[in-house]
Amino acid sequence: MYGGSAYYFTVVTYHRTPILTGYGARNILHHAWKIISERYPFTTVAICLLPDHIHTIWMLPESDNNYSVRWKEIKRQFTQRYLAEVGPGESRSLSRQKRGEAAIWQRRFWEHVISDDEDLGRHVDYIHFNPVKHGLVKKAKDWQWSSFHRYVQEGYYDADWGKASEYWGESKFGE
């Protein structure tokens, strides 16, 4: 069902600077996400916003696998507004200065093509459990910047799913 058009991503801030869950950054990211998803359609299947990174799964239209342009534009729009409204972020390396790059995002991102429904389920679980894994909360339901709450409302999860005691150890999900 999802093979080939669903993708899992991890996108990380420069030097893992914890800026993403601040009020200003969340609003700027939401705005950029909305604009780019209208310009270059995609559906956000699952998402979790953490202080220094984002995990998400996108469904792209059939015959469209150009997720790179979407990320480039989200990062660009976010960076422009963030610099104007919040500030310059970290000091830039010589390499970033030469390229005219801000110190907001890591240059690359990690992606994985979702191969089937089982793979999708594993990645959705990983996304929703991630705040617990990082010790930010003890239960997935306690993290407010996640699609976990939508999944509970739609009956995919019990509200008590994803407790710290359920941690399954290290995994290979691009973090």
Side-chain angles (χ1 to χ4, degrees):
M1 176 177 181
Y2 291 100
S5 61
Y7 301 87
Y8 165 87
F9 302 97
T10 301
V11 181
V12 182
T13 60
Y14 184 70
H15 288 163
R16 286 198 171 260
T17 306
I19 60 170
L20 297 176
T21 53
Y23 177 76
R26 286 193 327 270
N27 287 339
I28 294 167
L29 183 61
H30 178 77
H31 181 74
W33 202 274
K34 184 177 178 191
I35 288 171
I36 301 311
S37 69
E38 290 170 0
R39 190 174 298 155
Y40 303 99
F42 65 90
T43 301
T44 303
V45 175
I47 188 167
C48 187
L49 181 65
L50 293 113
D52 62 357
H53 64 286
I54 305 164
H55 292 295
T56 189
I57 297 172
W58 288 351
M59 179 75 70
L60 273 56
E62 198 170 321
S63 302
D64 182 353
N65 65 354
N66 196 353
Y67 48 78
S68 290
V69 74
R70 290 163 170 88
W71 278 118
K72 177 184 173 192
E73 288 301 307
I74 288 171
K75 287 175 161 186
R76 185 183 66 75
Q77 293 241 348
F78 177 90
T79 299
Q80 286 177 343
R81 279 195 60 196
Y82 187 87
L83 292 174
E85 296 177 21
V86 178
E90 291 207 9
S91 60
R92 298 181 301 158
S93 66
L94 284 175
S95 172
R96 284 189 181 261
Q97 290 175 33
K98 287 179 185 176
R99 294 177 185 212
E101 295 176 350
I104 303 294
W105 298 102
Q106 285 186 6
R107 288 184 179 137
R108 310 226 186 280
F109 55 84
W110 196 86
E111 62 82 17
H112 165 79
V113 178
I114 301 294
S115 60
D116 55 30
D117 288 342
E118 183 180 330
D119 192 30
L120 175 69
R122 277 193 314 272
H123 283 81
V124 168
D125 287 350
Y126 181 80
I127 285 171
H128 293 141
F129 193 76
N130 209 249
V132 178
K133 175 186 175 227
H134 286 287
L136 298 168
V137 292
K138 297 213 183 282
K139 301 175 189 170
K141 71 178 180 181
D142 295 333
W143 191 252
Q144 59 187 328
W145 302 298
S146 167
S147 56
F148 175 78
H149 308 286
R150 175 173 46 94
Y151 275 71
V152 170
Q153 287 177 333
E154 293 174 359
Y156 293 105
Y157 289 121
D158 181 277
D160 285 331
W161 179 91
K163 297 177 185 170
S165 61
E166 297 171 357
Y167 180 54
W168 57 81
E170 294 304 310
S171 56
K172 298 174 182 157
F173 286 97
E175 202 165 334

